[in-house]
Amino acid sequence: MGNRKAVVTGGSSGIGKGIVLELASQGYDIVFSYHTGKDAALKVVQEVKTRHAVDCVCFQAAFQDKGTGEEFFRRAAEHLGSVDVLVNNAGATRFENLLEITEETFDMLVNLDFRNYIMLMRAAARHMQERKIRGCIINITSSRGERAYPGDGVYGACKAGLDRAVESFALDVAPYGIRINNVAPGSVRVRSEQDLPQGDRVILGVYEQLGKRIPLGRMGEPEDIAKAAAFLASDDASYITGVTLRVDGGLILPGMPERPADSDAPWGFRD
């Protein structure tokens, strides 16, 4: 038997990169997308091929444009031959409060963080159903889909919508043995100290302060989310479908505000 096949969107950095590396370590051949970071994407491809005996390629895609997701999946499936796992990760985080929200931001978030996820789920589910693949679809959502913060009304609504949508979608495809689940990260250290401009301690300071206030005592790492996604994709999770797995170190249990305890920043402070 050959390697299992996975498609990952937004795999050139952060959580997506962590997922690509984790799935590669488990023997998946992978196609992943990148938006603008071609050099970073090619470095991920090289890292995967150097460390693991799997196939890995990347394709550019701008998922806010209608039709791009479906075309990307077609290309990925053509390259891989078949697809066992889709991980919807690519997206954007934008914060504008109700008095400031622009139509441009609204349309971008809805198209990229909600519509595109559903269109990619549809493409993957059709592919799996036609080929009788008992596959798995995983969406990376957010704890913001469950907990509200100032300025995240549209972004949070998109994530909450996905959390609810997969419950119905899981029922739609269960007769074909296809499973759909979400992973909802909390605060994740998506940029290491090496990734930040030299001397920039602002973001690192925010990471350190928030980490201390999370019940498990640290910020999340891309690997934390990647391992959760890999578990849901595995046979060990073969009886799990239609759930949103929160991976946030307990962050939202006490309703933690988004500012360091000793900061004078106003409510809603963000990095």
Side-chain angles (χ1 to χ4, degrees):
M1 293 181 63
N3 294 340
R4 297 189 75 195
K5 317 291 185 180
V7 175
V8 180
T9 66
S12 62
S13 63
I15 290 172
K17 176 182 176 181
I19 292 169
V20 169
L21 295 177
E22 180 64 25
L23 292 178
S25 76
Q26 297 190 15
Y28 284 82
D29 292 333
I30 299 171
V31 172
F32 70 88
S33 74
Y34 68 93
H35 184 199
T36 58
K38 183 176 181 179
D39 290 344
L42 292 175
K43 287 181 181 179
V44 174
V45 170
Q46 185 60 43
E47 183 175 354
V48 167
K49 290 185 173 181
T50 299
R51 294 168 57 183
H52 308 290
V54 299
D55 182 29
C56 183
V57 300
C58 60
F59 298 141
Q60 193 277 337
F63 292 124
Q64 68 271 21
D65 300 329
K66 291 182 179 180
T68 300
E70 297 95 312
E71 175 60 17
F72 164 73
F73 186 85
R74 185 197 64 76
R75 291 182 65 198
E78 183 178 80
H79 177 87
L80 293 169
S82 64
V83 177
D84 300 290
V85 175
L86 166 68
V87 182
N88 265 326
N89 167 72
T93 306
R94 296 288 186 275
F95 301 112
E96 292 179 354
N97 69 41
L98 182 60
L99 301 176
E100 300 169 346
I101 187 80
T102 64
E103 291 188 23
E104 290 76 14
T105 298
F106 179 88
D107 290 343
M108 183 273 291
L109 288 174
V110 171
N111 285 332
L112 179 57
D113 290 349
F114 188 68
R115 185 186 189 280
N116 177 64
Y117 274 51
I118 292 175
M119 293 299 100
L120 276 165
M121 281 191 276
R122 184 182 69 177
R126 286 176 172 175
H127 172 92
M128 294 170 184
Q129 184 266 333
E130 290 168 0
R131 291 161 180 78
K132 295 181 170 55
I133 297 170
R134 300 177 70 85
C136 179
I137 298 170
I138 300 164
N139 303 297
I140 305 303
T141 62
S142 172
S143 59
R144 289 177 182 271
E146 185 175 348
R147 178 76 67 183
Y149 295 94
D152 72 354
V154 177
Y155 176 80
C158 290
K159 299 303 184 180
L162 287 170
D163 291 348
R164 171 58 183 82
V166 298
E167 296 177 357
S168 294
F169 293 156
L171 295 176
D172 293 339
V173 298
Y176 308 106
I178 301 167
R179 299 182 297 110
I180 306 180
N181 295 292
N182 294 340
V183 176
S187 293
V188 177
R189 189 192 298 264
V190 294
R191 287 174 285 181
S192 67
E193 188 168 358
Q194 292 72 29
D195 294 330
L196 296 171
Q198 186 172 6
D200 185 350
R201 294 288 303 175
V202 175
I203 293 177
L204 288 175
V206 172
Y207 285 165
E208 292 166 3
Q209 290 294 328
L210 284 178
K212 293 175 182 177
R213 303 185 65 209
I214 293 171
L216 288 184
R218 67 173 177 86
M219 292 282 292
E221 301 289 346
E223 293 79 9
D224 296 316
I225 314 307
K227 289 183 181 300
F231 164 70
L232 288 174
S234 74
D235 291 340
D236 290 338
S238 63
Y239 205 54
I240 300 174
T241 194
V243 306
T244 296
L245 175 61
R246 194 168 69 235
V247 183
D248 69 349
L251 182 148
I252 72 170
L253 293 176
M256 184 185 72
E258 286 192 313
R259 59 179 177 181
D262 59 352
S263 172
D264 292 328
W267 177 269
F269 172 81
R270 296 177 294 270
D271 62 30

